[in-house]
Amino acid sequence: MDKDQIKPYIAARVAKELKDGDVVNLGVGLPTMVPAYLPEGVSLTLQSENGFVGISGEKPSEEDAKYIVNAGGQPVSIEKDGAFFSSADSFSIIRGGHVDATVLGALQVSQNGDIANWIVPGGMVSGMGGAMDLVVGAKRVIVAMTHTQKGEPKIMKECTLPLTAAKQVNMIITEMGVMDVTPEGLVLKEYNPEFTVEEIQAATDADLIISPDLKPMA
């Protein structure tokens, strides 16, 4: 798969998991691409943990770009029915279980749903962000990420990096496939036809359970 196709491919597949009317929090990077691929008739309320709901998919005007940024510091615009509020209120929304789904990137995810996405030991970070609250507070946690990093697996039997949270991930979507986290283990339910199941397993440290209903990625 061409490198430039990978992130749009993942974002387009993630978009199919979101329902009309959902309140959704999108992590920085790849997840912010998801709204561009929503099916016709699906409208979301996008929440930003730095204090507003109603992020618009439109390119921000010069005026908006001066004053409105998402949690990743990227300039955004706001819908006409959007609202601003304090960071405390924003985290009350998250911790109160009012976010239907969060879509996050990750450094590693384990086969039992552990997620590590906030630090590489020895690296400099500005802070842990809202991920620790989101993965516990959101009703559904979808990880959208590349399958490997520099050839090394990111889907692990056990995470080797510091955890953001344990056993909170519901689904993993990469350029290779779609995996559900279940009590029995990690179930591969869709695959990218550009890869064989054997190639997907070889790129995965975790043990994959192959769904009997395995199908090509939509």
Side-chain angles (χ1 to χ4, degrees):
M1 174 172 267
D2 186 271
K3 183 179 178 181
D4 294 334
Q5 296 176 326
I6 291 175
K7 289 183 178 180
Y9 184 82
I10 297 170
R13 179 59 188 82
V14 172
K16 295 181 181 298
E17 292 298 316
L18 305 178
K19 302 178 182 65
D20 188 47
D22 278 353
V23 176
V24 178
N25 183 290
L26 300 176
V28 299
L30 191 163
T32 62
M33 301 172 65
V34 171
Y37 299 95
L38 289 172
E40 188 174 347
V42 174
S43 178
L44 308 176
T45 297
L46 298 179
Q47 186 260 359
S48 188
E49 64 257 35
N50 56 324
F52 63 103
V53 291
I55 298 174
S56 171
E58 301 295 325
K59 183 178 178 180
S61 65
E62 287 187 21
E63 190 68 13
D64 282 352
K66 291 179 185 177
Y67 301 108
I68 308 175
V69 297
N70 63 19
Q74 301 165 312
V76 293
S77 58
I78 188 168
E79 301 280 3
K80 284 188 275 188
D81 57 355
F84 296 97
F85 34 77
S86 72
S87 180
D89 287 332
S90 185
F91 277 86
S92 292
I93 291 171
I94 295 167
R95 295 170 183 171
H98 304 293
V99 175
D100 295 298
T102 184
V103 182
L104 300 167
L107 299 167
Q108 291 179 339
V109 182
S110 77
Q111 61 191 19
N112 67 351
D114 299 344
I115 178 172
N117 77 340
W118 78 278
I119 193 171
V120 174
M124 294 292 291
V125 294
S126 57
M128 64 187 67
M132 292 181 181
D133 292 275
L134 283 163
V135 294
V136 174
K139 295 173 186 174
R140 194 170 185 219
V141 178
I142 301 171
V143 168
M145 66 178 188
T146 56
H147 205 93
T148 61
Q149 178 69 30
K150 296 181 179 179
E152 294 298 318
K154 295 170 68 175
I155 303 174
M156 315 293 290
K157 289 185 176 71
E158 295 184 8
C159 294
T160 58
L161 295 174
L163 294 187
T164 304
K167 299 181 179 179
Q168 295 298 321
V169 176
N170 302 111
M171 176 178 279
I172 306 168
I173 300 177
T174 76
E175 77 278 16
M176 285 189 164
V178 179
M179 289 139 278
D180 280 335
V181 180
T182 75
E184 292 73 36
L186 200 57
V187 178
L188 180 68
K189 68 176 192 177
E190 295 181 23
Y191 71 101
N192 182 341
E194 292 195 22
F195 303 96
T196 65
V197 171
E198 291 74 21
E199 287 172 329
I200 297 170
Q201 179 62 80
T204 308
D205 178 64
D207 297 319
L208 294 176
I209 300 169
I210 310 305
S211 169
D213 300 316
L214 181 67
K215 62 183 181 180
M217 286 176 74

